[in-house]
Amino acid sequence: MEKALWYLLTATRGGENRVRIIRTLSERPRNANRLADELDVGYKTIRHHLDVLESHGVIEAGGDKYGRLYFLTDHFEQYRDTFEEIATHLD
């Protein structure tokens, strides 16, 4: 997970948006529409980042497809300190 976080947040385009998504989901679960509105990012862009984060085990989805909520995974929470360290380099 540590290597995946460094890759997802620093080595690819969209790292800053992924940090913002993770920080927002840290407050409480949200669906893609809500994330797009709150972060002022296009829905398709949010969907792309959610798919990438989900494929790397950072987030998981719950609920039906239309109103699907996204949560941070328990596995990610074990690496929260790494996430915070990486995020400070991006601030």
Side-chain angles (χ1 to χ4, degrees), residues 16 21 29 32 36 38 41 45 47 51 56 58 69 75 77-78 81 89 91:
E16 289 183 29
I21 290 168
E38 290 186 24
V41 175
T45 301
R47 288 287 325 140
D51 289 344
H56 285 83
V58 176
L69 291 177
H75 190 61
E77 292 296 350
Q78 295 173 4
D81 290 344
H89 290 286
D91 289 338

Side-chain angles (χ1 to χ4, degrees), residues 9-77:
L9 305 176
T10 65
T12 60
R13 290 178 51 188
E16 289 183 29
N17 276 333
R18 291 181 189 136
V19 168
R20 295 173 64 210
I21 290 168
I22 291 169
R23 284 185 170 153
T24 303
L25 292 177
S26 294
E27 297 169 4
R28 64 180 173 84
R30 289 173 170 82
N31 65 29
N33 278 323
R34 180 64 59 102
L35 283 167
D37 288 344
E38 290 186 24
L39 299 177
D40 196 27
V41 175
Y43 178 78
K44 286 185 177 182
T45 301
I46 288 291
R47 288 287 325 140
H48 168 73
H49 291 305
L50 290 173
D51 289 344
V52 170
L53 292 170
E54 189 173 19
S55 71
H56 285 83
V58 176
I59 63 170
E60 59 189 346
D64 64 25
K65 190 168 183 132
Y66 180 74
R68 180 174 283 186
L69 291 177
Y70 290 89
F71 304 81
L72 297 173
T73 64
D74 292 340
H75 190 61
F76 167 79
E77 292 296 350

